[in-house]
Amino acid sequence: MPHPPHQSLQAAAVQSLQTRPAAVPKPRVAAREEEDGPWHTEAVCRRDEAGLFFAPSKEPTAARLAREEAAKRVCARCPVMVACREHALLQPEPYGVWGGLTAAERRVVLGRRRRRAAELLPGTAGPVAAAG
């Protein structure tokens, strides 16, 4: 008795997959990564203690401020500081010092960017209308 048509089509498909190599799409990589590798491989902080960039639990304010300033000094001499900062803003990274900015400073930058983008949108009357 002959096989139903759907079974022969299924067998042909399996045969086709077994005899030809699978087409695997190339993973998407940012342009910078294709040229030089990931930006973070050049980061100065890779050689420093990670604890400098992230707060321990229940850290006293004075200790936190001193630690953040030390982390910012490391960032200031980093060749990829701008790329690091943009990464932290685009993610957005909620903790730590990234690209010379603390989490609170990044929230301020993001707020400014949102306000600027809203002001540039057509059809908005500006910040006065938004305050309403």
Coordinates of all heavy atoms in Angstrom, one line a residue, residues 6 20 25 39 56 59 78 98 102 113 119 127 131:
H6 N 1.4 13.2 2.4 CA 2.1 14.0 3.4 C 3.3 13.3 4.0 O 4.3 13.9 4.4 CB 1.1 14.5 4.5 CG 0.6 13.4 5.4 ND1 -0.5 12.6 5.0 CD2 1.0 12.9 6.6 CE1 -0.7 11.7 5.9 NE2 0.1 11.9 6.9
R20 N 22.0 18.2 2.8 CA 22.6 19.5 2.6 C 23.0 20.1 3.9 O 22.3 19.9 4.9 CB 21.7 20.3 1.7 CG 20.7 21.1 2.5 CD 19.8 21.9 1.6 NE 18.5 21.8 2.3 CZ 17.6 22.7 2.3 NH1 17.7 23.7 1.5 NH2 16.5 22.6 3.0
P25 N 22.7 31.4 10.2 CA 23.0 32.8 10.0 C 24.2 33.3 10.8 O 24.4 32.8 11.9 CB 21.7 33.4 10.5 CG 21.1 32.4 11.4 CD 21.5 31.1 10.9
W39 N 34.5 46.8 22.8 CA 35.1 48.0 23.4 C 35.6 47.7 24.8 O 36.6 48.2 25.2 CB 34.1 49.1 23.4 CG 32.9 48.9 24.3 CD1 31.6 48.4 23.8 CD2 32.7 49.0 25.7 NE1 30.8 48.2 24.9 CE2 31.4 48.6 26.0 CE3 33.6 49.5 26.7 CZ2 30.9 48.7 27.3 CZ3 33.1 49.5 28.0 CH2 31.8 49.1 28.3
P56 N 29.3 48.1 48.0 CA 28.9 47.0 48.8 C 27.6 47.4 49.6 O 27.2 48.5 49.6 CB 30.1 46.9 49.8 CG 30.8 48.2 49.7 CD 30.4 48.8 48.4
E59 N 26.8 50.6 52.5 CA 28.1 51.4 52.5 C 27.8 52.8 53.0 O 26.8 53.4 52.6 CB 28.6 51.5 51.1 CG 29.9 52.3 50.9 CD 30.4 52.3 49.5 OE1 29.5 52.4 48.6 OE2 31.6 52.3 49.3
C78 N 40.7 56.3 30.9 CA 40.3 55.1 30.1 C 40.1 55.5 28.6 O 39.3 56.5 28.4 CB 39.0 54.5 30.7 SG 38.5 53.0 29.8
W98 N 29.9 53.7 35.6 CA 30.2 53.3 34.2 C 30.5 54.6 33.4 O 29.8 55.6 33.5 CB 28.9 52.7 33.6 CG 28.6 51.4 34.1 CD1 27.9 51.1 35.3 CD2 28.8 50.1 33.4 NE1 27.7 49.8 35.4 CE2 28.2 49.1 34.3 CE3 29.4 49.8 32.2 CZ2 28.3 47.8 34.0 CZ3 29.4 48.4 31.9 CH2 28.8 47.4 32.8
T102 N 28.0 57.9 37.9 CA 27.3 57.1 38.8 C 25.9 56.8 38.3 O 25.5 57.4 37.3 CB 27.2 57.8 40.2 OG1 26.4 58.9 40.1 CG2 28.6 58.1 40.8
R113 N 18.0 63.7 28.2 CA 17.8 63.2 26.8 C 16.3 63.1 26.5 O 15.9 63.4 25.4 CB 18.6 61.9 26.7 CG 20.1 62.1 26.5 CD 20.7 60.8 26.3 NE 22.2 60.9 26.1 CZ 23.0 59.9 25.8 NH1 22.5 58.7 25.6 NH2 24.3 60.2 25.7
E119 N 11.0 67.7 23.3 CA 10.9 69.0 22.8 C 11.1 69.1 21.3 O 10.6 69.9 20.6 CB 12.0 69.9 23.5 CG 11.7 70.2 24.9 CD 12.9 70.9 25.6 OE1 13.9 71.1 25.0 OE2 12.7 71.2 26.8
P127 N 8.1 72.8 26.7 CA 8.0 72.5 28.1 C 6.8 73.1 28.9 O 6.3 72.5 29.8 CB 9.3 72.9 28.7 CG 10.0 73.8 27.7 CD 9.3 73.5 26.4
A131 N 4.1 71.1 31.2 CA 4.0 71.3 32.6 C 2.5 71.5 33.0 O 2.1 71.3 34.1 CB 4.8 72.5 33.0

